[in-house]
Amino acid sequence: MRALLPDLAPWRASADFRRLWLAGVITNFGTFLTFVALPVQLKDLTGSAAAVGAIGAVELLPLIVFGLYGGALADAYDKRKLILSTEAGQGLLSAVLLLNALLPRPAVWPLYVVAALSSALGALQRPALDALVPRIVAHDHLPAAASLNSLRWTVGGVAGPAVAGVVVAYAGLGAAYGADLVTFVVSVVLCLGLAASPAAHEAAKPSLRSIAEGARYAWSRKELLGTYVVDIAAMLFAMPLAVLPFLADELRAPWSLGLMYASFPAGALVVSLTSGWTSRIHRHGRMVVLSAAAWGLAVAAAGVAGNVWLVLLLLTLGGAFDMVSGIFRGAMWNQTIPDELRGRLAGIELLSYSVGPQLGQVRSGAMAAWRGVRTSVWSGGLLCTGAVALLALCLPGLMRYDARTNEHAVRLRARRTGAAV
């Protein structure tokens, strides 16, 4: 049993990792409250699946632009300052949602504006967060840190949606947005204790040239490229979040909406709590492909199932497979990308695991409006599995990747070991 439990070495060894982890747990809890409340409010105000799916469309452009620029900023400036300023900005946006919800007649347009601005701030922040982890965690502890960070996300992901369903139903949307605001305040206080993390003296200033340099490096690494496109395909085709409010209605179980949102992180939480085995796996690329394909099959089965409890079980299973894929993607990224490029590559990583879900919301919402909710879900799952299989055939380097022998992993391990000495 001890071998299955999460490896706590990064938590014990790094005070900054502990602060970042706790701040993430608190912020994620509040963020998932808004994550549920926002589409519910749009559904109530518009009654349109396409309008809910359009959230992904308004978030997409800021995500792309600011994700790439945020990566360049993370390589050129102090990561702590970037994290603090964007976290405070997210809190102000939660305050806007709260004020709008308290109006006698809430407006629709602020929901889209806040969604777009929140996407921009999240895109600016995430590369700094990702680039900071390899600096505050020992190289050999990075797979364990990836698992613990996944656990951090899933704790909020399970508790947030589950509580949000109750909060929205009995306390109202304003209570959900207000709680999100409080979590950002607490998170900012925790992040104030992080040590400064300035850029290297030779760091390139943010520019199109520096962004292009990171993109060229990513393109030259076909195993990294494989992790990006596999995740994009999985999320584009098989992420059904936009249609969950309508799926709950079709199953005549509107009470299950919060549980549906919580099912993906619940499955991820099970994997995170039993993630000790992941540190002993070295063929990370194969695990990324197999788990992404299994995610698609689980979602397809959920689209066919007619019993709400079976749907919840299948969505939970899908979340577990998605988490396995995420853990091994993170391990590959953190163990092979040099520090001077880490921010820019984190920006590209952000696009790989965020653009897919945003486009997936648009796809699932449009497909549901055209062919029905259930068809949108099961067809997307099958398309995901087929696309992942095709990508695995086209990118054999991903399937061959071995953390023990990969030249980039070996080189970075030697560099960090020498620096520690």
Side-chain angles (χ1 to χ4, degrees):
M1 287 297 297
R2 182 174 297 178
L4 291 176
L5 295 176
D7 184 352
L8 298 179
W11 175 279
R12 298 191 188 100
S14 173
D16 275 350
F17 182 79
R18 290 195 296 273
R19 292 188 185 94
L20 205 62
W21 194 92
L22 289 171
V25 168
I26 294 167
T27 296
N28 285 342
F29 177 80
T31 298
F32 274 104
L33 287 173
T34 296
F35 181 74
V36 173
L38 189 62
V40 168
Q41 188 174 20
L42 267 175
K43 173 180 173 288
D44 292 343
L45 293 174
T46 67
S48 168
V52 176
I55 295 175
V58 301
E59 292 174 338
L60 181 59
L61 182 59
L63 185 65
I64 294 173
V65 173
F66 290 97
L68 292 173
Y69 187 63
L73 285 175
D75 281 337
Y77 296 108
D78 191 309
K79 297 168 184 58
R80 174 184 177 273
K81 291 181 179 178
L82 286 172
I83 292 168
L84 278 170
S85 59
T86 50
E87 195 79 352
Q90 293 277 26
L92 291 176
L93 293 179
S94 295
V96 172
L97 289 175
L98 172 60
L99 292 174
N100 184 61
L102 294 177
L103 293 175
R105 298 181 64 180
V108 171
W109 66 265
L111 306 183
Y112 290 113
V113 171
V114 169
L117 292 176
S118 179
S119 177
L121 287 175
L124 286 172
Q125 183 188 78
R126 189 58 184 261
L129 284 170
D130 289 347
L132 182 61
V133 171
R135 284 193 170 191
I136 61 178
V137 173
H139 184 83
D140 290 341
H141 293 168
L142 286 172
S147 297
L148 289 174
N149 279 334
S150 299
L151 176 61
R152 177 193 70 183
W153 178 83
T154 55
V155 167
V158 171
V163 173
V166 177
V167 171
V168 170
Y170 295 101
L173 293 163
Y177 295 139
D180 190 16
L181 173 58
V182 171
T183 63
F184 278 115
V185 173
V186 176
S187 177
V188 167
V189 172
L190 284 170
C191 288
L192 286 171
L194 292 173
S197 182
H201 293 297
E202 67 276 9
K205 297 299 180 183
S207 65
L208 290 177
R209 178 177 296 180
S210 68
I211 293 172
E213 180 185 359
R216 284 193 297 271
Y217 177 83
W219 182 260
S220 71
R221 296 278 310 280
K222 293 302 186 283
E223 71 278 20
L224 283 185
L225 186 64
T227 65
Y228 302 149
V229 295
V230 164
D231 191 43
I232 290 173
M235 297 297 102
L236 167 63
F237 293 119
M239 179 53 78
L241 292 178
V243 300
L244 290 184
F246 302 91
L247 180 61
D249 287 346
E250 282 205 7
L251 293 169
R252 298 181 180 179
W255 53 265
S256 68
L257 178 59
L259 295 177
M260 286 186 180
Y261 280 117
S263 59
F264 291 129
L269 179 60
V270 172
V271 171
S272 298
L273 290 174
T274 58
S275 61
W277 61 273
T278 61
S279 297
R280 298 187 294 277
I281 301 295
H282 306 287
R283 306 299 291 269
H284 298 163
R286 290 186 180 182
M287 294 301 296
V288 169
V289 169
L290 293 174
S291 52
W295 146 265
L297 291 176
V299 171
V304 175
N307 179 276
V308 63
W309 293 107
L310 180 57
V311 169
L312 290 170
L313 176 62
L314 289 166
L315 293 179
T316 302
L317 185 63
F321 286 125
D322 185 47
M323 178 52 64
V324 173
S325 177
I327 287 173
F328 288 108
R329 289 196 311 270
M332 287 180 65
W333 298 338
N334 288 331
Q335 288 189 322
T336 65
I337 298 172
D339 184 68
E340 62 271 16
L341 288 166
R342 192 68 191 87
R344 281 165 284 177
L345 269 293
I348 296 174
E349 292 156 17
L350 171 68
L351 298 186
S352 78
Y353 56 68
S354 298
V355 168
Q358 306 311 320
L359 291 176
Q361 291 191 66
V362 178
R363 185 213 66 83
S364 62
M367 177 64 79
W370 178 44
R371 301 296 296 177
V373 172
R374 305 297 288 276
T375 300
S376 173
V377 177
W378 68 254
S379 65
L382 293 181
L383 285 169
C384 162
T385 300
V388 168
L390 181 61
L391 288 168
L393 290 175
C394 295
L395 294 166
L398 177 62
M399 299 296 286
R400 290 196 302 265
Y401 177 87
D402 189 320
R404 296 166 296 187
T405 58
N406 177 267
E407 60 175 314
H408 302 283
V410 171
R411 184 182 305 122
L412 189 58
R413 185 183 302 114
R415 181 192 297 186
R416 296 199 68 192
T417 301
V421 174

